[in-house]
Amino acid sequence: MPLPQIVIDALINIVGDQWVKISKAERETYSSDGLPTLRSLPAAVVLPASREEVIRVVRVLAHHDVPFVGRGAGTGLSGGGLAGPDAIIISLTRLNCIIRVDPVNQIAVVEPGVVNVRLTEAVQDLDLFYAPDPSSQTACTLGGNIAENAGGPHCMKYGVTSNHVVSLEVVLPDGKVTRLGSDSGQPWGLDLVSAFVGSEGMFGLALEITLRLLPAPKFVITMLADFVSMRDAGEVVTEIVRSPAVPAALEMIDQNCVKAVEESIYSAGFPTDAAAVLLVEVDGHSEDTVDQEAELVTMILTEGRARSVKVAQDSASRERLWHGRKKAFGALGRISPDLVVQDAVVPRTSLPDVLEEIAAIATRHDVKISNVFHAGDGNLHPNINFDGQNPAEVKRVTIAASEIIATCLRVGGTLTGEHGIGIDKKRFMTDLFDKDSLSAMMAVRRAFDTKGIANPGKVLPTHSCSEWKPHSTVATHR
Amino acid sequence: MTLHPTSPDELALILRDAVREDKKVSVAGTGNWSPTEGDLAISTDRMASITELADRDLTMSVEAGATMDTLHRRLAAVGLWLPCDSPGGDRSVGSIIATGTSGPLADSFGPIRDQLLGLTFVTGNGRVITAGGKVMKNVAGFDMTRLVCGSFGTLGIITDAHFRLRPKPQADCTLTARPHHDTAWDIWRTVTQSRTSSACLLNPGSGKDKAQVTVRFTGSVNAVQSRRVELEEANNLDWREEESGGYWGDHSRAVLANPISLTTGSSVSTANAVTTAIDDLLPRGSAWVQRNLVRWAGAASVKELQIFRRTMSESGTPVTVERAPWGILKEVGVFGHLSPETRAVTERLHDSFDPNKILTAGGVFVTD
Ligand SMILES: Cc1cc2nc3c(=O)[nH]c(=O)nc-3n(C[C@H](O)[C@H](O)[C@H](O)COP(=O)(O)OP(=O)(O)OC[C@H]3O[C@@H](n4cnc5c(N)ncnc54)[C@H](O)[C@@H]3O)c2cc1C
């Protein structure tokens, strides 16, 4: 359905001609996000310059009942940022201002389009940092992080995005603007901040985000342990987490992925003959304590049959190790035309079994799977390399991905730990939640979005929900 | 009449009947943490077991009727820990989650919602809802776990909770000092900003009372020792070591010895002003300052509470009356004034989860 001209005119009137994209070529740029298997051409793309412009844009769309999809950097991995042919993408990348940093209360107020890593860069001189560090942090936006409740390697110690959001100003899908929470981080009434974080763009758009900053640790030790057996590496993860040591990060990279990294420009010196390597970091404010934690971790690794444990001697070698880890997806992306990055969480103790099962699935369906993931949280990322032009291979990849998910759910795990449900995993939601629980989620969504126009069609398999209390304006499921 | 369901499904049947028969339901608790008027009381005392303790995965599933003290004892026996020191350890887990009460350890471990991995609850329209799960990270669907936490029973009755656990710290050290007022504030600010302690609690005292500042360190023996030395060297004070369990238990009892307790949002830079307002407007009680909140416990009239809340609201600060005799709570409400937009969202949530308003006989969303 083409967009009514009156809507286009109204949008142009708000943001100016050059910031409303309607040509096919321009819309093409926004037809996919980080998920390679899905594409969808939006009706238009609008790029407001300010908070006020976003609000006015949403009001116009609400008035005309036009669905919209917020868009950050488009690095999302579940298709959450895709818009259908009747929907408009509202890109928030021009709202990229760090509005205020308050070192006394250790908070920062930012616009949603600020790129994650920029915040930590901006507060470094104050000896502060912003903890959630998705591997995509040099590209993804804080607004996107809020929507997905993003995680990252250091979330093991410091917590995921929702642990760091103090309060939010949002524009609801009906165009009303409201502040959720308070500057102290204490809820004001129900905890609507927590509900909004992870709502995948379906509750409205975050306009202004207040985030918690932490004092940067003064001492950091990064260790690289390599294992001949993947099972050993998996088992040692539980031992470390059960010990008095509290690692800041505990990441696993398997042999397939190590090879991809070492053959790329991101080579980090990972041993390519190891079945798996673990990257473990400890940090803190006292040198002695950090040293002792590192000693304890080294001992556990060695007792857990690590072939060797190397300690990064300076910040350059530490950065090289992390670069290798964080660019692993990029390295994997080079070796085939397409790559799906999977995301699931299992209880830590089942990691060894699940990793073996994933290897068996790869063999069974003749697909190439590489694992690089947040082992300390049991958050797996099995990545599958493939060629999207080869239908037979695509089919095998789809089956393998489904089997991986089934395996994770069987051991008591969940569908996604940080990438979200989006479109990609919607069909699995009924494997995890019954109809009443899905209907409850739908009711929460309706409380924020009475019209059902914010990012419709994502997360909830609507045919499996029943509407509890229809709001009068809604005729169909969106 | 009090009913004692043994499962979420049984509870769901009871609530559906209540809807049909137009009866109001309250949850029978240990005191006045939640509104208590109703035609029917639900007790969760027959849903009070620890259903799973996955000690190697560091997770635990419990039924909501179990008391927090029971959990702590069970965990201590196997060397594990749930860093949750909400006032009222003899309360049920369900009550603590429903009221979202956090104690001083929230300074470093976050409030109780940060320890929760998932919940089962039964809505006012008698549906059994599972939220979240049992794993460390989970973004499958919207976060109803955190939404229900602190909703004071308005969205449903909690029947099961899944927690993340930690290894019991090797060392646990509580130090307390009674310096001059200004010094106490300085220490509280420095320690709070440095994030080196697990808890740092300031009782500013009133009038010519000396302030009291209490710092708790947990962790490895060496880590605790080095932080302790650092604190003692930085402040030439007479620090007294307390036995952690006993001290924090006493603190919790001191809060509960009063008929009313409330929390006010605060920050390093606003805490002082909040305590001054408390001194002026709520003179019959004591205040304790944490990183992000000031908890006050004492006695006050409806009018005093309303004035205090209005004053705080004007400076952008929420006041949650977490506990009060029903006669007072009914008037002031747990939550204060909400902005019209937030109130609209809240009302829609409430309408969906408890369309017939059987769960709370008022007392939560009263606005003044
Ligand atoms: C190489 C690579 C590595 C990655 N590593 C990680 C990782 O370690 N951890 C992790 O968690 N994720 C990771 N991701 C996934 C992705 O980067 C995150 O989900 C990120 O939070 C998305 O941010 P974005 O700005 O790209 O959002 P987009 O992809 O543009 O949008 C994602 C969702 O957010 C919504 N949205 C965007 N802005 C707003 C707003 N202001 N208000 C409301 N909704 C909004 C959109 O509608 C959409 O539903 C990785 C992705 C890639 C490509």
Side-chain angles (χ1 to χ4, degrees):
Chain A
M1 193 186 65
L3 214 52
Q5 189 60 38
I6 183 173
V7 174
I8 297 174
D9 289 345
L11 296 177
I12 289 174
N13 191 27
I14 298 167
V15 299
D17 213 7
Q18 74 272 39
W19 300 110
V20 181
K21 314 287 182 193
I22 39 179
S23 78
K24 184 150 187 276
E26 285 174 315
R27 287 181 291 140
E28 206 70 70
T29 324
Y30 294 85
S31 66
S32 61
D33 62 1
L35 178 74
T37 45
L38 284 177
R39 294 183 85 79
S40 174
L41 206 57
V45 181
V46 50
L47 294 98
S50 65
R51 170 186 174 280
E52 288 69 28
E53 285 188 7
V54 177
I55 296 166
R56 287 172 65 200
V57 165
V58 171
R59 286 184 181 158
V60 165
L61 300 179
H63 181 73
H64 293 278
D65 266 333
V66 177
F68 64 84
V69 180
R71 180 66 88 100
T75 65
L77 291 168
S78 50
L82 298 191
D86 61 341
I88 286 191
I89 284 185
I90 304 178
S91 166
L92 296 152
T93 48
R94 293 176 72 205
L95 278 76
N96 57 4
C97 203
I98 296 174
I99 300 168
R100 189 162 64 86
V101 173
D102 172 353
V104 173
N105 295 306
Q106 301 172 338
I107 56 175
V109 183
V110 302
E111 289 189 322
V114 172
V115 169
N116 175 298
V117 78
R118 269 201 52 219
L119 180 55
T120 287
E121 284 166 6
V123 299
Q124 240 157 18
D125 289 348
L126 301 165
D127 291 326
L128 295 170
F129 78 117
Y130 176 64
D133 59 340
S135 304
S136 51
Q137 70 184 146
T138 52
C140 66
T141 65
L142 291 165
N145 292 172
I146 297 288
E148 302 290 351
N149 192 7
H154 290 82
C155 292
M156 180 184 176
K157 176 170 178 180
Y158 295 107
V160 295
T161 301
S162 66
N163 301 113
H164 299 272
V165 183
V166 174
S167 67
L168 292 170
E169 184 189 53
V170 305
V171 54
L172 296 171
D174 62 4
K176 298 212 170 84
V177 177
T178 183
R179 178 160 283 284
L180 308 178
S182 70
D183 286 350
S184 60
Q186 293 299 309
W188 201 317
L190 301 183
D191 188 358
L192 300 183
V193 173
S194 287
F196 194 93
V197 176
S199 61
E200 302 204 24
M202 295 175 75
F203 291 7
L205 299 177
L207 292 174
E208 215 181 88
I209 305 168
T210 305
L211 295 168
R212 187 160 293 135
L213 303 171
L214 296 176
K218 295 195 187 83
F219 303 94
V220 183
I221 297 179
T222 310
M223 289 157 278
L224 178 72
D226 63 309
F227 292 81
V228 181
S229 141
M230 179 95 141
R231 176 161 279 277
D232 286 347
E235 280 170 358
V236 91
V237 170
T238 291
E239 296 310 320
I240 294 174
V241 177
R242 279 292 266 118
S243 80
V246 186
L250 174 43
E251 302 280 304
M252 193 191 292
I253 311 171
D254 77 356
Q255 187 171 39
N256 280 347
C257 187
V258 161
K259 283 184 174 157
V261 171
E262 290 308 312
E263 284 159 13
S264 76
I265 49 165
Y266 311 118
S267 163
F270 300 149
T272 50
D273 61 340
V277 301
L278 288 181
L279 199 56
V280 194
E281 188 159 283
V282 290
D283 67 11
H285 298 274
S286 128
E287 188 165 17
D288 282 354
T289 311
V290 175
D291 282 347
Q292 281 153 6
E293 261 193 282
E295 260 171 49
L296 175 60
V297 169
T298 306
M299 198 183 81
I300 299 169
L301 288 166
T302 312
E303 279 175 7
R305 290 192 282 278
R307 188 172 60 178
S308 73
V309 182
K310 296 198 176 72
V311 177
Q313 293 302 332
D314 48 36
S315 65
S317 39
R318 194 166 66 235
E319 264 158 40
R320 187 165 171 236
L321 289 177
W322 277 115
H323 200 59
R325 160 63 186 93
K326 293 202 172 176
K327 296 294 180 187
F329 294 131
L332 288 169
R334 289 172 53 257
I335 59 182
S336 67
D338 298 284
L339 174 76
V340 274
V341 178
Q342 280 293 339
D343 171 39
V345 192
V346 296
R348 264 182 309 258
T349 50
S350 55
L351 278 178
D353 289 346
V354 169
L355 288 167
E356 276 175 12
E357 182 57 33
I358 290 173
I361 291 170
T363 311
R364 198 154 63 232
H365 297 290
D366 187 25
V367 293
K368 179 159 188 189
I369 302 184
S370 317
N371 293 287
V372 45
F373 64 101
H374 315 304
D377 286 322
N379 188 178
L380 292 160
H381 289 322
N383 307 297
I384 315 182
N385 281 98
F386 68 106
D387 177 358
Q389 301 300 321
N390 177 343
E393 193 179 4
V394 171
K395 198 165 164 202
R396 295 203 309 276
V397 167
T398 312
I399 297 172
S402 300
E403 287 186 12
I404 291 173
I405 289 171
T407 303
C408 294
L409 295 188
R410 204 161 47 234
V411 298
T414 192
L415 291 173
T416 165
E418 53 181 29
H419 296 168
I421 297 293
I423 305 177
D424 191 38
K425 293 216 167 131
K426 203 167 85 167
R427 66 202 146 107
F428 300 111
M429 283 292 271
T430 48
D431 298 339
L432 195 58
F433 295 108
D434 62 15
K435 185 174 172 179
D436 281 338
S437 303
L438 292 170
S439 304
M441 286 187 205
M442 169 110 114
V444 179
R445 199 263 172 137
R446 284 280 187 238
F448 283 89
D449 182 4
T450 50
K451 288 165 168 274
I453 59 169
N455 211 1
K458 311 290 162 65
V459 181
L460 297 175
T462 33
H463 59 277
S464 310
C465 310
S466 62
E467 191 109 15
W468 278 359
K469 197 168 179 180
H471 290 276
S472 54
T473 43
V474 181
T476 52
H477 287 320
R478 262 178 173 165
Chain B
M1 184 167 61
T2 302
L3 297 176
H4 304 260
T6 58
S7 70
D9 288 332
E10 240 177 73
L11 175 57
L13 285 178
I14 294 173
L15 296 185
R16 284 189 212 179
D17 278 349
V19 170
R20 247 192 316 275
E21 292 161 20
D22 198 23
K23 286 190 171 146
K24 301 268 184 237
V25 174
S26 67
V27 182
T30 51
N32 40 12
W33 283 88
S34 56
T36 48
E37 250 174 30
D39 309 312
L40 259 188
I42 302 291
S43 165
T44 52
D45 59 355
R46 290 177 70 197
M47 292 187 281
S49 56
I50 295 174
T51 44
E52 189 184 352
L53 177 53
D55 63 331
R56 292 183 55 75
D57 277 313
L58 298 179
T59 61
M60 173 171 61
S61 300
V62 303
E63 290 183 315
T67 67
M68 195 48 97
D69 287 342
T70 314
L71 262 57
H72 285 316
R73 275 195 299 274
R74 175 72 189 277
L75 291 174
V78 290
L80 296 176
W81 194 43
L82 177 64
C84 169
D85 55 352
S86 318
D90 58 343
R91 291 160 67 200
S92 69
V93 167
S95 158
I96 291 182
I97 296 170
T99 53
T101 326
S102 44
L105 282 173
D107 269 14
S108 56
F109 295 98
I112 182 141
R113 62 172 188 241
D114 289 354
Q115 325 304 329
L116 273 175
L117 302 172
L119 286 178
T120 303
F121 63 100
V122 184
T123 59
N125 55 357
R127 311 285 175 149
V128 179
I129 308 300
T130 48
K134 296 183 183 179
V135 284
M136 288 305 135
K137 289 165 80 178
N138 199 342
V139 294
F142 308 133
D143 196 339
M144 293 192 292
T145 307
R146 291 166 79 91
L147 179 63
V148 168
C149 185
S151 65
F152 283 81
T154 53
L155 304 180
I157 299 177
I158 298 160
T159 58
D160 295 86
H162 312 293
F163 288 104
R164 65 172 294 188
L165 307 172
R166 292 163 204 267
K168 189 172 171 356
Q170 282 178 327
D172 184 344
C173 164
T174 298
L175 298 170
T176 170
R178 290 184 161 278
H180 181 267
H181 198 264
D182 294 348
T183 315
W185 276 102
D186 284 344
I187 294 171
W188 176 79
R189 250 179 242 116
T190 312
V191 174
T192 298
Q193 282 180 327
S194 72
R195 285 193 176 263
T196 49
S197 68
S198 295
C200 181
L201 193 68
L202 170 73
N203 178 350
S206 56
K208 47 191 185 330
D209 287 359
K210 277 199 169 174
Q212 179 172 20
V213 61
T214 309
V215 186
R216 183 173 185 179
F217 297 117
T218 60
S220 69
V221 173
N222 292 314
V224 167
Q225 183 57 25
S226 81
R227 287 179 202 155
R228 176 183 181 156
V229 169
E230 207 177 295
L231 178 77
E232 286 170 337
E233 281 173 359
N235 307 282
N236 188 17
L237 289 177
D238 190 12
W239 289 98
R240 207 173 82 189
E241 181 163 7
E242 302 277 355
E243 193 271 313
S244 280
Y247 182 88
W248 295 103
D250 288 347
H251 166 66
S252 163
R253 277 183 290 278
V255 170
L256 298 182
N258 296 281
I260 303 175
S261 67
L262 56 79
T263 59
T264 301
S266 69
S267 63
V268 168
S269 57
T270 64
N272 202 328
V274 170
T275 58
T276 307
I278 286 177
D279 270 349
D280 287 349
L281 303 172
L282 299 173
R284 290 175 291 147
S286 317
W288 292 272
V289 184
Q290 290 175 226
R291 174 188 300 280
N292 295 122
L293 65 86
V294 177
R295 176 173 272 114
W296 172 87
S301 66
V302 167
K303 185 105 203 157
E304 284 172 316
L305 291 168
Q306 284 170 340
I307 292 174
F308 176 68
R309 180 178 267 159
R310 200 166 312 133
T311 310
M312 287 293 108
S313 278
E314 277 159 15
S315 61
T317 306
V319 174
T320 305
V321 180
E322 49 184 17
R323 192 175 135 265
W326 178 230
I328 291 181
L329 200 59
K330 198 162 60 176
E331 296 297 319
V332 298
V334 171
F335 304 127
H337 169 81
L338 304 174
S339 73
E341 295 76 22
T342 303
R343 194 163 82 215
V345 174
T346 304
E347 277 170 5
R348 287 194 290 266
L349 280 169
H350 199 194
D351 287 349
S352 297
F353 282 76
D354 185 17
N356 300 74
K357 304 291 176 306
I358 64 163
L359 288 181
T360 45
V364 179
F365 294 121
V366 180
T367 51
D368 46 32

